[in-house]
Amino acid sequence: MNTAGNTVLIVVDIQGGDVEQSASRTEIPHMAGRAERAPRVRELISRTREQGIPVVWIQEVHKPNLVDIGRELDGAEGPHCVEGWPETELSKGLQPRPDEFLIRKRRYSAFFGTELEIVLKAYRAQTLILIGGLTDVCVHYTAVDAHQHDYRVRVVTDCVGGSSQEAHDAALRAIHYLQRDALVEQAEVLRWLESAEPNPEVTRADRTHLAGRPA
């Protein structure tokens, strides 16, 4: 996998809490294969942390009265990601660490109206690895905005899922159109991680924090 500069893994909207999908009130269609993707996602997050690469978590959340949902109900989606619903929480087994950022958003792109750009500047990021969903909505729109902010984008194709297989495939083609090296598989990222350099901003922050602690 080709990267440049500091890299950050962005986990996009892997939500559902501890609620079975069949019982979820979130009205968003999903392609099959979520259960098969879950262990690949967990392994990738674990290995990324071990290598000292920052992980940034994204969570879509809306107020119960949906005053902040905008035009998101004009298409195929019904009410979703409502604050206070258990199914709005991150999926079971996925938990940000205290030193990791959890960014809540009100729109599809993780850049729109959030502090993501501030966080990425803090890490001096140049390459963003995206996993999560939906491939054709939040992953796609985040990838497009990352591209327009001049980041290199790497979407892990077997760690993302779309609203349908057709929409998933079309979104990946559109992302590839923007950046020819954007599409990678989990195994390729794991090989890259074997020799990837830790993010120096993370290690510098750790040293500064430890230096300031009383002996």
Side-chain angles (χ1 to χ4, degrees):
M1 182 178 74
N2 296 325
T3 63
N6 295 346
T7 299
V8 172
L9 175 67
I10 300 182
V11 183
V12 181
D13 298 357
I14 305 184
Q15 298 171 230
D18 198 13
V19 180
E20 293 293 333
Q21 194 168 341
S22 59
S24 175
R25 289 165 287 183
T26 291
E27 299 179 24
I28 298 179
H30 288 276
M31 63 184 267
R34 185 167 185 168
E36 291 74 21
R37 290 190 296 273
R40 291 195 291 268
V41 164
R42 289 194 295 268
E43 181 183 13
L44 184 54
I45 292 171
S46 176
R47 293 280 299 278
T48 299
R49 285 168 163 168
E50 291 172 2
Q51 202 65 24
I53 305 297
V55 179
V56 174
W57 301 78
I58 309 298
Q59 179 188 21
E60 185 174 342
V61 181
H62 299 288
K63 289 295 184 184
N65 62 5
L66 302 182
V67 67
D68 56 346
I69 206 165
R71 303 263 60 85
E72 290 192 12
L73 302 182
D74 290 358
E77 297 180 352
H80 56 276
C81 300
V82 174
E83 187 177 284
W85 287 5
E87 51 268 55
T88 299
E89 299 306 311
L90 298 181
S91 291
K92 183 179 179 181
L94 298 181
Q95 182 64 45
R97 291 180 173 176
D99 61 332
E100 293 173 346
F101 289 93
L102 172 60
I103 296 175
R104 292 181 172 90
K105 62 185 176 70
R106 309 287 173 174
R107 293 293 185 268
Y108 293 136
S109 170
F111 284 90
F112 194 92
T114 76
E115 68 268 35
L116 179 59
E117 183 70 1
I118 294 173
V119 170
L120 296 178
K121 285 181 178 178
Y123 288 131
R124 300 184 186 275
Q126 291 182 255
T127 299
L128 308 182
I129 301 173
L130 304 185
I131 62 175
L134 295 173
T135 316
D136 47 312
V137 189
C138 296
V139 171
H140 186 188
Y141 296 172
T142 299
V144 169
D145 278 353
H147 176 76
Q148 294 182 127
H149 282 82
D150 296 329
Y151 292 102
R152 287 174 172 81
V153 178
R154 301 294 179 262
V155 175
V156 189
T157 58
D158 50 354
C159 290
V160 293
S163 61
S164 68
Q165 186 67 52
E166 180 182 13
H168 167 83
D169 294 340
L172 293 180
R173 288 195 297 271
I175 293 167
H176 174 74
Y177 179 88
L178 293 179
Q179 293 194 17
R180 69 180 68 88
D181 297 323
L183 305 185
V184 296
E185 293 184 351
Q186 188 243 31
E188 187 178 352
V189 182
L190 292 179
R191 288 194 297 272
W192 170 78
L193 282 168
E194 292 176 359
S195 58
E197 293 292 330
N199 184 295
E201 302 308 316
V202 174
T203 55
R204 183 179 296 114
D206 288 342
R207 289 196 301 270
T208 302
H209 173 69
L210 291 172
R213 296 175 64 181

